Coordinates of all heavy atoms in Angstrom, one line a residue:
M1 N 28.0 -18.1 6.4 CA 27.4 -18.6 5.2 C 25.9 -18.1 5.1 O 25.2 -18.1 6.1 CB 27.4 -20.2 5.2 CG 26.7 -20.8 4.1 SD 26.4 -22.6 4.2 CE 28.1 -23.2 4.4
R2 N 25.6 -17.8 4.0 CA 24.2 -17.3 3.8 C 23.2 -18.5 3.8 O 23.5 -19.5 3.2 CB 24.1 -16.6 2.4 CG 22.8 -15.9 2.2 CD 22.8 -15.0 1.0 NE 22.5 -15.9 -0.1 CZ 22.2 -15.4 -1.4 NH1 22.2 -14.1 -1.6 NH2 22.0 -16.2 -2.3
A3 N 22.1 -18.3 4.4 CA 21.0 -19.3 4.4 C 19.7 -18.6 4.0 O 19.6 -17.4 3.9 CB 20.9 -19.8 5.8
K4 N 18.8 -19.4 3.6 CA 17.5 -18.9 3.1 C 16.4 -19.6 3.7 O 16.4 -20.8 3.9 CB 17.5 -19.0 1.6 CG 16.2 -18.5 1.0 CD 16.2 -18.5 -0.6 CE 15.8 -19.8 -1.1 NZ 15.7 -19.8 -2.6
R5 N 15.3 -18.9 4.1 CA 14.1 -19.5 4.6 C 13.0 -18.8 3.9 O 12.9 -17.5 3.8 CB 14.1 -19.2 6.1 CG 12.8 -19.8 6.8 CD 12.8 -19.7 8.3 NE 13.0 -18.3 8.7 CZ 13.9 -17.9 9.6 NH1 14.7 -18.8 10.2 NH2 14.0 -16.6 10.0
I6 N 12.0 -19.5 3.4 CA 10.8 -18.9 2.8 C 9.8 -18.8 3.9 O 9.5 -19.7 4.7 CB 10.3 -19.9 1.7 CG1 11.4 -20.1 0.7 CG2 9.0 -19.3 1.1 CD1 11.8 -18.9 -0.1
E7 N 9.2 -17.6 4.0 CA 8.2 -17.2 5.0 C 7.0 -16.5 4.3 O 7.1 -16.0 3.2 CB 8.7 -16.3 6.1 CG 9.8 -16.9 6.9 CD 10.3 -15.9 7.9 OE1 10.2 -14.7 7.8 OE2 10.9 -16.4 8.9
N8 N 5.9 -16.5 5.0 CA 4.8 -15.7 4.6 C 4.2 -16.0 3.2 O 4.0 -15.1 2.4 CB 5.1 -14.2 4.7 CG 3.9 -13.3 4.8 OD1 2.8 -13.8 5.1 ND2 4.1 -12.1 4.4
I9 N 4.1 -17.3 2.9 CA 3.6 -17.7 1.6 C 2.1 -17.2 1.6 O 1.3 -17.5 2.5 CB 3.7 -19.2 1.4 CG1 5.1 -19.6 1.4 CG2 2.9 -19.6 0.2 CD1 5.4 -21.1 1.3
R10 N 1.7 -16.5 0.5 CA 0.4 -16.0 0.5 C -0.1 -15.8 -0.9 O 0.7 -16.0 -1.9 CB 0.4 -14.6 1.2 CG 1.3 -13.6 0.5 CD 1.4 -12.3 1.4 NE 2.2 -11.3 0.7 CZ 3.5 -11.2 0.7 NH1 4.2 -12.2 1.3 NH2 4.1 -10.3 0.0
V11 N -1.3 -15.5 -1.1 CA -1.9 -15.2 -2.4 C -2.0 -13.7 -2.6 O -2.5 -13.0 -1.7 CB -3.3 -15.8 -2.5 CG1 -4.0 -15.4 -3.8 CG2 -3.3 -17.3 -2.3
E12 N -1.5 -13.2 -3.7 CA -1.7 -11.8 -4.0 C -2.6 -11.7 -5.3 O -2.5 -12.5 -6.2 CB -0.4 -11.1 -4.3 CG 0.5 -11.0 -3.1 CD 1.7 -10.1 -3.3 OE1 1.8 -9.5 -4.3 OE2 2.5 -10.0 -2.3
V13 N -3.4 -10.8 -5.3 CA -4.4 -10.6 -6.4 C -4.1 -9.3 -7.1 O -4.0 -8.3 -6.4 CB -5.8 -10.7 -5.9 CG1 -6.8 -10.4 -7.1 CG2 -6.1 -12.0 -5.2
S14 N -4.0 -9.3 -8.4 CA -3.8 -8.0 -9.2 C -5.0 -7.7 -10.0 O -5.6 -8.7 -10.5 CB -2.6 -8.2 -10.1 OG -1.4 -8.4 -9.3
P15 N -5.3 -6.5 -10.2 CA -6.5 -6.1 -11.0 C -6.2 -6.6 -12.5 O -5.1 -6.6 -12.9 CB -6.5 -4.6 -11.0 CG -5.7 -4.2 -9.8 CD -4.7 -5.3 -9.6
R16 N -7.3 -7.0 -13.2 CA -7.2 -7.4 -14.6 C -6.8 -6.2 -15.4 O -5.9 -6.4 -16.3 CB -8.6 -7.9 -15.0 CG -8.6 -8.3 -16.5 CD -10.0 -8.7 -16.9 NE -11.1 -8.0 -16.2 CZ -12.2 -8.5 -15.7 NH1 -12.4 -9.8 -15.8 NH2 -13.1 -7.8 -15.1
D17 N -7.3 -5.1 -15.2 CA -7.0 -3.9 -16.0 C -5.9 -3.1 -15.3 O -5.8 -3.0 -14.1 CB -8.2 -3.0 -16.1 CG -9.3 -3.7 -16.9 OD1 -9.1 -4.4 -17.8 OD2 -10.5 -3.5 -16.4
P18 N -5.0 -2.6 -16.1 CA -3.9 -1.8 -15.4 C -4.5 -0.5 -14.7 O -5.3 0.1 -15.3 CB -3.0 -1.4 -16.6 CG -3.9 -1.5 -17.8 CD -4.9 -2.5 -17.5
I19 N -4.0 -0.3 -13.5 CA -4.5 0.8 -12.8 C -3.4 1.8 -12.4 O -3.6 3.0 -12.3 CB -5.3 0.4 -11.5 CG1 -4.4 -0.3 -10.6 CG2 -6.5 -0.3 -11.9 CD1 -5.0 -0.6 -9.2
F20 N -2.1 1.3 -12.4 CA -1.1 2.2 -11.9 C -0.6 3.0 -13.1 O -0.4 2.6 -14.2 CB 0.1 1.4 -11.4 CG -0.3 0.5 -10.2 CD1 -0.5 -0.8 -10.3 CD2 -0.6 1.1 -9.0 CE1 -0.9 -1.6 -9.3 CE2 -1.1 0.4 -7.9 CZ -1.2 -1.0 -8.0
G21 N -0.6 4.3 -12.9 CA -0.3 5.2 -14.0 C -1.5 5.6 -14.8 O -1.5 6.5 -15.6
V22 N -2.6 4.9 -14.6 CA -3.9 5.2 -15.3 C -4.8 5.9 -14.3 O -5.4 6.9 -14.7 CB -4.5 3.9 -15.8 CG1 -5.8 4.2 -16.5 CG2 -3.5 3.2 -16.8
L23 N -5.0 5.4 -13.1 CA -5.9 6.0 -12.1 C -5.1 6.8 -11.1 O -3.9 6.5 -10.9 CB -6.6 4.8 -11.4 CG -7.5 3.9 -12.3 CD1 -8.1 2.9 -11.4 CD2 -8.5 4.7 -13.1
S24 N -5.8 7.7 -10.5 CA -5.1 8.4 -9.3 C -5.0 7.4 -8.2 O -5.5 6.3 -8.2 CB -6.0 9.5 -8.9 OG -7.2 9.1 -8.3
E25 N -4.2 7.8 -7.2 CA -4.0 6.9 -6.0 C -5.3 6.6 -5.4 O -5.6 5.4 -5.0 CB -3.1 7.6 -5.0 CG -2.8 6.7 -3.8 CD -1.8 7.3 -2.8 OE1 -1.0 8.2 -3.2 OE2 -2.0 7.0 -1.6
D26 N -6.2 7.6 -5.2 CA -7.5 7.3 -4.6 C -8.4 6.4 -5.4 O -9.0 5.5 -4.9 CB -8.3 8.6 -4.4 CG -7.7 9.4 -3.2 OD1 -7.0 8.8 -2.4 OD2 -8.0 10.6 -3.1
Q27 N -8.4 6.6 -6.7 CA -9.1 5.7 -7.6 C -8.6 4.3 -7.6 O -9.4 3.3 -7.6 CB -9.1 6.3 -9.1 CG -9.9 7.5 -9.3 CD -9.6 8.2 -10.6 OE1 -8.5 8.1 -11.2 NE2 -10.7 8.7 -11.2
A28 N -7.3 4.1 -7.6 CA -6.7 2.8 -7.5 C -7.0 2.1 -6.2 O -7.3 0.9 -6.2 CB -5.1 2.9 -7.7
R29 N -7.0 2.8 -5.1 CA -7.4 2.2 -3.8 C -8.8 1.8 -3.8 O -9.1 0.7 -3.3 CB -7.1 3.2 -2.7 CG -5.7 3.4 -2.3 CD -5.6 4.3 -1.1 NE -4.2 4.5 -0.8 CZ -3.3 3.7 -0.2 NH1 -3.8 2.6 0.3 NH2 -2.1 4.1 0.0
R30 N -9.7 2.6 -4.4 CA -11.1 2.3 -4.5 C -11.3 1.0 -5.4 O -12.1 0.1 -5.0 CB -11.9 3.5 -5.1 CG -13.3 3.6 -4.5 CD -14.0 4.9 -4.9 NE -13.4 5.7 -5.9 CZ -12.8 6.9 -5.6 NH1 -12.7 7.3 -4.3 NH2 -12.3 7.6 -6.6
A31 N -10.6 0.9 -6.5 CA -10.7 -0.2 -7.3 C -10.2 -1.5 -6.6 O -10.9 -2.6 -6.7 CB -9.9 0.0 -8.6
C32 N -9.2 -1.4 -5.8 CA -8.7 -2.6 -5.1 C -9.6 -3.0 -4.0 O -9.8 -4.2 -3.7 CB -7.3 -2.3 -4.5 SG -6.0 -2.2 -5.8
K33 N -10.3 -2.0 -3.3 CA -11.2 -2.3 -2.3 C -12.4 -3.0 -2.9 O -13.0 -3.9 -2.3 CB -11.7 -1.1 -1.5 CG -10.6 -0.6 -0.6 CD -11.0 0.6 0.2 CE -9.9 1.1 1.2 NZ -10.3 2.3 1.9
E34 N -12.8 -2.6 -4.1 CA -14.0 -3.3 -4.7 C -13.6 -4.8 -5.0 O -14.4 -5.7 -4.9 CB -14.3 -2.6 -6.0 CG -15.0 -1.3 -5.8 CD -15.2 -0.5 -7.1 OE1 -15.0 -1.0 -8.2 OE2 -15.6 0.7 -7.0
I35 N -12.3 -5.0 -5.4 CA -11.9 -6.4 -5.7 C -11.9 -7.2 -4.4 O -12.3 -8.4 -4.4 CB -10.5 -6.4 -6.3 CG1 -10.6 -5.8 -7.8 CG2 -9.9 -7.8 -6.3 CD1 -9.2 -5.6 -8.4
T36 N -11.4 -6.6 -3.3 CA -11.4 -7.3 -2.0 C -12.8 -7.7 -1.6 O -13.0 -8.8 -1.1 CB -10.7 -6.6 -0.9 OG1 -11.4 -5.4 -0.6 CG2 -9.2 -6.3 -1.2
A37 N -13.7 -6.8 -1.8 CA -15.1 -7.1 -1.4 C -15.7 -8.2 -2.3 O -16.4 -9.1 -1.8 CB -16.0 -5.9 -1.6
A38 N -15.3 -8.3 -3.6 CA -15.8 -9.4 -4.5 C -15.1 -10.7 -4.0 O -15.8 -11.7 -4.0 CB -15.4 -9.0 -5.9
I39 N -13.9 -10.7 -3.7 CA -13.2 -11.9 -3.2 C -13.9 -12.4 -1.9 O -14.2 -13.6 -1.8 CB -11.7 -11.6 -2.9 CG1 -11.0 -11.4 -4.2 CG2 -11.1 -12.8 -2.1 CD1 -9.5 -10.9 -4.1
N40 N -14.2 -11.5 -1.0 CA -14.8 -11.9 0.3 C -16.2 -12.5 0.0 O -16.7 -13.4 0.7 CB -14.9 -10.8 1.2 CG -13.6 -10.5 1.9 OD1 -12.8 -11.5 2.2 ND2 -13.3 -9.3 2.1
R41 N -16.9 -12.0 -1.0 CA -18.3 -12.5 -1.3 C -18.2 -13.9 -2.0 O -19.1 -14.7 -1.8 CB -19.0 -11.5 -2.3 CG -19.6 -10.3 -1.6 CD -20.6 -9.6 -2.5 NE -20.1 -9.3 -3.8 CZ -19.4 -8.2 -4.1 NH1 -19.2 -7.2 -3.2 NH2 -18.9 -8.0 -5.3
H42 N -17.2 -14.1 -2.9 CA -17.3 -15.2 -3.8 C -16.3 -16.3 -3.6 O -16.4 -17.4 -4.3 CB -17.2 -14.7 -5.2 CG -18.2 -13.7 -5.6 ND1 -19.5 -14.0 -5.7 CD2 -18.1 -12.4 -5.9 CE1 -20.2 -12.9 -6.1 NE2 -19.4 -11.9 -6.2
V43 N -15.2 -16.1 -2.8 CA -14.2 -17.1 -2.7 C -14.2 -17.8 -1.3 O -14.2 -17.1 -0.3 CB -12.8 -16.4 -2.9 CG1 -11.7 -17.5 -2.8 CG2 -12.8 -15.8 -4.3
D44 N -14.2 -19.1 -1.4 CA -14.1 -19.9 -0.1 C -12.7 -19.9 0.4 O -11.7 -19.9 -0.3 CB -14.6 -21.4 -0.4 CG -16.0 -21.4 -0.8 OD1 -16.8 -20.5 -0.4 OD2 -16.4 -22.4 -1.5
G45 N -12.6 -20.1 1.7 CA -11.3 -20.3 2.4 C -10.5 -19.0 2.6 O -9.3 -19.1 2.9
V46 N -11.1 -17.9 2.4 CA -10.4 -16.6 2.5 C -10.5 -16.2 4.0 O -11.5 -16.0 4.6 CB -11.0 -15.5 1.7 CG1 -10.3 -14.2 1.9 CG2 -10.8 -15.9 0.2
G47 N -9.3 -16.0 4.6 CA -9.3 -15.6 6.0 C -9.2 -14.1 6.1 O -9.8 -13.4 7.0
H48 N -8.4 -13.5 5.3 CA -8.2 -12.0 5.3 C -7.7 -11.5 4.0 O -6.8 -12.1 3.4 CB -7.2 -11.7 6.4 CG -6.9 -10.2 6.6 ND1 -7.8 -9.4 7.1 CD2 -5.9 -9.5 6.2 CE1 -7.3 -8.2 7.1 NE2 -6.2 -8.2 6.6
V49 N -8.4 -10.5 3.5 CA -7.9 -9.8 2.3 C -7.7 -8.4 2.6 O -8.5 -7.7 3.3 CB -9.0 -9.9 1.2 CG1 -8.5 -9.2 -0.1 CG2 -9.4 -11.4 0.9
T50 N -6.5 -7.9 2.2 CA -6.2 -6.5 2.5 C -5.6 -5.9 1.2 O -5.0 -6.5 0.4 CB -5.2 -6.4 3.7 OG1 -5.0 -5.1 4.0 CG2 -3.9 -7.0 3.3
V51 N -5.7 -4.6 1.2 CA -5.1 -3.8 0.1 C -3.8 -3.3 0.7 O -3.7 -2.7 1.7 CB -6.0 -2.6 -0.3 CG1 -5.2 -1.8 -1.4 CG2 -7.3 -3.1 -0.9
T52 N -2.7 -3.6 0.0 CA -1.4 -3.1 0.4 C -0.7 -2.4 -0.7 O -1.2 -2.3 -1.8 CB -0.5 -4.3 0.9 OG1 0.7 -3.9 1.4 CG2 -0.2 -5.3 -0.3
H53 N 0.5 -1.9 -0.5 CA 1.2 -1.1 -1.5 C 2.7 -1.2 -1.3 O 3.1 -1.5 -0.2 CB 0.7 0.3 -1.5 CG 1.0 1.0 -0.3 ND1 0.1 1.0 0.8 CD2 2.1 1.7 0.1 CE1 0.7 1.7 1.8 NE2 1.9 2.1 1.4
D54 N 3.4 -0.8 -2.3 CA 4.9 -0.6 -2.1 C 5.1 0.9 -2.1 O 4.4 1.7 -2.6 CB 5.6 -1.2 -3.3 CG 5.4 -2.7 -3.5 OD1 5.3 -3.4 -2.5 OD2 5.4 -3.2 -4.6
T55 N 6.1 1.2 -1.3 CA 6.5 2.6 -1.2 C 7.8 2.8 -2.0 O 8.8 2.1 -1.8 CB 6.7 3.0 0.2 OG1 5.5 2.9 0.9 CG2 7.2 4.5 0.3
V56 N 7.8 3.7 -2.9 CA 9.0 4.0 -3.8 C 9.5 5.4 -3.5 O 8.7 6.4 -3.5 CB 8.6 3.9 -5.3 CG1 9.8 4.2 -6.1 CG2 8.1 2.5 -5.6
Y57 N 10.7 5.5 -3.1 CA 11.3 6.8 -2.9 C 12.1 7.3 -4.1 O 12.8 6.5 -4.7 CB 12.3 6.7 -1.7 CG 11.5 6.4 -0.4 CD1 11.5 5.1 0.1 CD2 10.9 7.4 0.3 CE1 10.8 4.8 1.3 CE2 10.2 7.1 1.5 CZ 10.2 5.8 2.0 OH 9.5 5.5 3.1
F58 N 11.9 8.6 -4.4 CA 12.5 9.1 -5.6 C 12.8 10.6 -5.3 O 12.2 11.2 -4.4 CB 11.6 9.0 -6.8 CG 10.3 9.6 -6.7 CD1 10.0 10.8 -7.2 CD2 9.3 8.9 -6.1 CE1 8.7 11.4 -7.0 CE2 8.0 9.4 -5.9 CZ 7.7 10.7 -6.4
C59 N 13.6 11.2 -6.2 CA 14.0 12.6 -6.1 C 12.8 13.4 -6.5 O 12.2 13.2 -7.6 CB 15.2 12.9 -6.9 SG 15.6 14.7 -7.0
S60 N 12.3 14.4 -5.7 CA 11.2 15.2 -6.1 C 11.5 16.2 -7.2 O 10.6 16.7 -7.8 CB 10.7 15.9 -4.8 OG 11.7 16.8 -4.4
Y61 N 12.8 16.4 -7.5 CA 13.2 17.3 -8.5 C 13.2 16.6 -9.9 O 12.7 17.1 -10.9 CB 14.5 18.0 -8.2 CG 14.4 18.8 -6.9 CD1 15.2 18.3 -5.8 CD2 13.7 19.9 -6.8 CE1 15.1 19.1 -4.6 CE2 13.6 20.6 -5.6 CZ 14.3 20.2 -4.5 OH 14.3 20.9 -3.4
C62 N 14.0 15.5 -10.0 CA 14.2 14.9 -11.3 C 13.6 13.6 -11.5 O 13.6 13.0 -12.6 CB 15.7 14.8 -11.5 SG 16.5 13.5 -10.6
G63 N 13.0 13.0 -10.4 CA 12.4 11.7 -10.5 C 13.3 10.5 -10.4 O 12.8 9.3 -10.5
A64 N 14.6 10.7 -10.2 CA 15.5 9.6 -10.1 C 15.2 8.7 -8.8 O 14.7 9.2 -7.8 CB 17.0 10.1 -10.0
K65 N 15.5 7.4 -8.9 CA 15.3 6.5 -7.8 C 16.2 7.0 -6.6 O 17.3 7.4 -6.8 CB 15.8 5.1 -8.2 CG 15.7 4.1 -7.0 CD 16.1 2.8 -7.5 CE 16.1 1.8 -6.4 NZ 16.6 0.5 -6.8
W66 N 15.6 7.1 -5.4 CA 16.3 7.5 -4.2 C 17.2 6.4 -3.8 O 16.7 5.3 -3.5 CB 15.3 7.9 -3.1 CG 16.0 8.7 -2.1 CD1 16.6 8.3 -0.9 CD2 16.1 10.2 -2.1 NE1 17.1 9.4 -0.3 CE2 16.8 10.5 -1.0 CE3 15.7 11.1 -3.0 CZ2 17.1 11.9 -0.7 CZ3 16.0 12.5 -2.8 CH2 16.7 12.8 -1.6
T67 N 18.5 6.7 -3.7 CA 19.5 5.6 -3.4 C 20.2 5.8 -2.1 O 21.0 5.0 -1.7 CB 20.5 5.5 -4.5 OG1 21.2 6.8 -4.7 CG2 19.9 5.1 -5.9
E68 N 20.0 6.9 -1.4 CA 20.8 7.3 -0.3 C 20.0 7.1 1.0 O 18.8 7.1 1.0 CB 21.3 8.7 -0.4 CG 22.1 9.0 -1.6 CD 23.3 8.2 -1.8 OE1 24.1 8.0 -0.8 OE2 23.5 7.6 -2.9
A69 N 20.8 7.0 2.1 CA 20.1 6.8 3.4 C 19.5 8.2 3.9 O 18.5 8.2 4.6 CB 21.1 6.3 4.5
S70 N 20.1 9.3 3.5 CA 19.6 10.6 3.8 C 18.3 10.8 3.2 O 18.0 10.4 2.1 CB 20.6 11.6 3.3 OG 20.0 12.9 3.4
A71 N 17.4 11.6 4.0 CA 16.1 11.9 3.4 C 16.2 13.3 2.7 O 15.2 13.7 2.1 CB 15.1 12.0 4.5
D72 N 17.4 13.9 2.7 CA 17.5 15.3 2.1 C 18.4 15.3 0.9 O 18.3 16.2 0.1 CB 18.1 16.2 3.2 CG 17.2 16.3 4.4 OD1 15.9 16.4 4.2 OD2 17.7 16.4 5.5
Y73 N 19.3 14.4 0.8 CA 20.3 14.4 -0.3 C 20.5 13.1 -0.9 O 20.7 12.1 -0.3 CB 21.7 14.9 0.3 CG 22.8 14.9 -0.7 CD1 22.7 15.8 -1.8 CD2 23.9 14.1 -0.5 CE1 23.8 15.8 -2.7 CE2 25.0 14.2 -1.4 CZ 24.9 15.0 -2.5 OH 25.9 15.1 -3.4
N74 N 20.3 13.0 -2.2 CA 20.3 11.8 -3.0 C 21.6 11.6 -3.8 O 21.6 11.1 -4.9 CB 19.1 11.7 -3.9 CG 18.9 10.3 -4.5 OD1 19.2 9.4 -3.9 ND2 18.3 10.3 -5.7
G75 N 22.7 12.0 -3.2 CA 24.0 11.8 -3.9 C 24.3 12.7 -5.1 O 25.2 12.5 -5.8
G76 N 23.4 13.7 -5.2 CA 23.7 14.7 -6.3 C 23.1 14.2 -7.7 O 23.7 14.4 -8.7
C77 N 21.9 13.6 -7.6 CA 21.3 13.1 -8.9 C 21.0 14.2 -9.8 O 20.8 14.0 -11.0 CB 20.1 12.3 -8.5 SG 18.8 13.1 -7.6
C78 N 20.9 15.4 -9.4 CA 20.6 16.6 -10.2 C 21.0 17.8 -9.5 O 21.4 17.8 -8.4 CB 19.1 16.6 -10.6 SG 18.0 16.8 -9.1
D79 N 21.0 18.9 -10.3 CA 21.5 20.2 -9.7 C 20.7 20.6 -8.5 O 21.2 21.1 -7.5 CB 21.5 21.3 -10.7 CG 22.6 21.1 -11.8 OD1 23.5 20.3 -11.5 OD2 22.4 21.7 -12.9
D80 N 19.4 20.4 -8.5 CA 18.5 20.8 -7.4 C 18.8 20.0 -6.2 O 18.9 20.5 -5.1 CB 17.0 20.6 -7.8 CG 16.6 21.7 -8.8 OD1 17.1 22.8 -8.7 OD2 15.7 21.4 -9.6
D81 N 19.1 18.7 -6.4 CA 19.5 17.8 -5.2 C 20.8 18.2 -4.7 O 21.1 18.2 -3.5 CB 19.5 16.4 -5.7 CG 19.8 15.4 -4.5 OD1 19.0 15.3 -3.6 OD2 20.9 14.8 -4.6
E82 N 21.8 18.6 -5.6 CA 23.1 18.9 -5.1 C 23.2 20.1 -4.1 O 24.1 20.1 -3.3 CB 24.0 19.3 -6.4 CG 25.5 19.4 -6.1 CD 26.1 18.1 -5.5 OE1 25.7 17.0 -5.8 OE2 26.9 18.3 -4.6
Q83 N 22.2 21.0 -4.1 CA 22.2 22.1 -3.2 C 22.1 21.6 -1.7 O 22.3 22.3 -0.8 CB 21.1 23.1 -3.5 CG 19.7 22.5 -3.2 CD 18.6 23.5 -3.6 OE1 18.7 24.7 -3.4 NE2 17.6 23.0 -4.2
Y84 N 21.7 20.3 -1.5 CA 21.6 19.7 -0.2 C 22.7 18.9 0.2 O 22.7 18.2 1.2 CB 20.3 18.9 -0.1 CG 19.0 19.7 -0.3 CD1 18.4 19.8 -1.5 CD2 18.6 20.6 0.7 CE1 17.2 20.6 -1.7 CE2 17.5 21.4 0.6 CZ 16.8 21.4 -0.7 OH 15.7 22.2 -0.8
N85 N 23.8 18.9 -0.7 CA 25.0 18.1 -0.4 C 25.6 18.6 1.0 O 26.0 19.7 1.1 CB 26.0 18.3 -1.5 CG 27.2 17.4 -1.3 OD1 27.5 16.9 -0.3 ND2 28.0 17.4 -2.4
P86 N 25.7 17.7 2.0 CA 26.2 18.1 3.3 C 27.7 18.3 3.2 O 28.3 18.8 4.1 CB 25.8 16.9 4.2 CG 25.7 15.8 3.3 CD 25.2 16.3 2.0
H87 N 28.4 17.7 2.2 CA 29.8 17.8 2.1 C 30.2 18.3 0.7 O 30.8 17.6 -0.1 CB 30.5 16.5 2.4 CG 30.1 15.9 3.7 ND1 30.5 16.4 4.9 CD2 29.3 14.8 3.9 CE1 29.9 15.7 5.8 NE2 29.2 14.7 5.3
P88 N 29.9 19.6 0.4 CA 30.3 20.1 -1.0 C 31.8 20.2 -1.1 O 32.5 20.2 0.0 CB 29.6 21.5 -1.0 CG 29.4 21.8 0.4 CD 29.2 20.6 1.2
E89 N 32.3 20.1 -2.3 CA 33.7 20.2 -2.5 C 34.3 21.3 -1.7 O 33.9 22.5 -1.8 CB 34.1 20.3 -3.9 CG 33.8 19.1 -4.8 CD 34.2 19.3 -6.2 OE1 35.3 19.9 -6.4 OE2 33.5 18.9 -7.1
A90 N 35.4 21.0 -1.0 CA 36.1 22.1 -0.2 C 36.7 23.0 -1.1 O 37.4 22.7 -2.1 CB 37.1 21.4 0.8
V91 N 36.6 24.3 -0.8 CA 37.3 25.3 -1.6 C 38.7 25.4 -1.2 O 39.0 25.5 0.0 CB 36.5 26.7 -1.4 CG1 37.3 27.8 -2.1 CG2 35.1 26.6 -1.8
D92 N 39.6 25.4 -2.2 CA 41.0 25.4 -1.9 C 41.4 26.9 -1.5 O 41.4 27.8 -2.3 CB 41.8 25.0 -3.1 CG 43.3 24.9 -2.8 OD1 43.7 25.3 -1.7 OD2 44.0 24.4 -3.6
A93 N 41.7 27.1 -0.2 CA 41.9 28.4 0.3 C 43.3 28.9 0.0 O 43.7 30.0 0.3 CB 41.7 28.4 1.8
T94 N 44.2 28.0 -0.6 CA 45.6 28.5 -0.9 C 45.7 29.2 -2.2 O 46.7 29.8 -2.5 CB 46.5 27.3 -0.9 OG1 46.1 26.4 -2.0 CG2 46.6 26.6 0.4
Q95 N 44.6 29.2 -2.9 CA 44.7 29.9 -4.3 C 44.1 31.3 -4.2 O 43.2 31.6 -3.5 CB 44.0 29.1 -5.3 CG 44.7 27.8 -5.6 CD 44.0 27.0 -6.6 OE1 43.0 27.4 -7.2 NE2 44.5 25.8 -6.9
Ligands
ZN101 ZN1 17.4 14.6 -8.6

């Protein structure tokens, strides 16, 4: 039977202005570090503020979401990816 436990309850802070897709990765990190410095200066009860991120894997050729365990082959999401198929269709040698 499935059970659930809630862990790691925490506060996350997002920038007021959109930064993802607008700023470069370096600019976004810098903007987030400025926010953490402001939080540390002005907010009581803060033990630790850190900048974190999510990692998204995608096909470098077509941009499709990466869905496979392999780091080389994404199930054939596009022709460029298909060249890395470890099990291409077997050629029928009887013909
Ligand atoms: Zn692809």
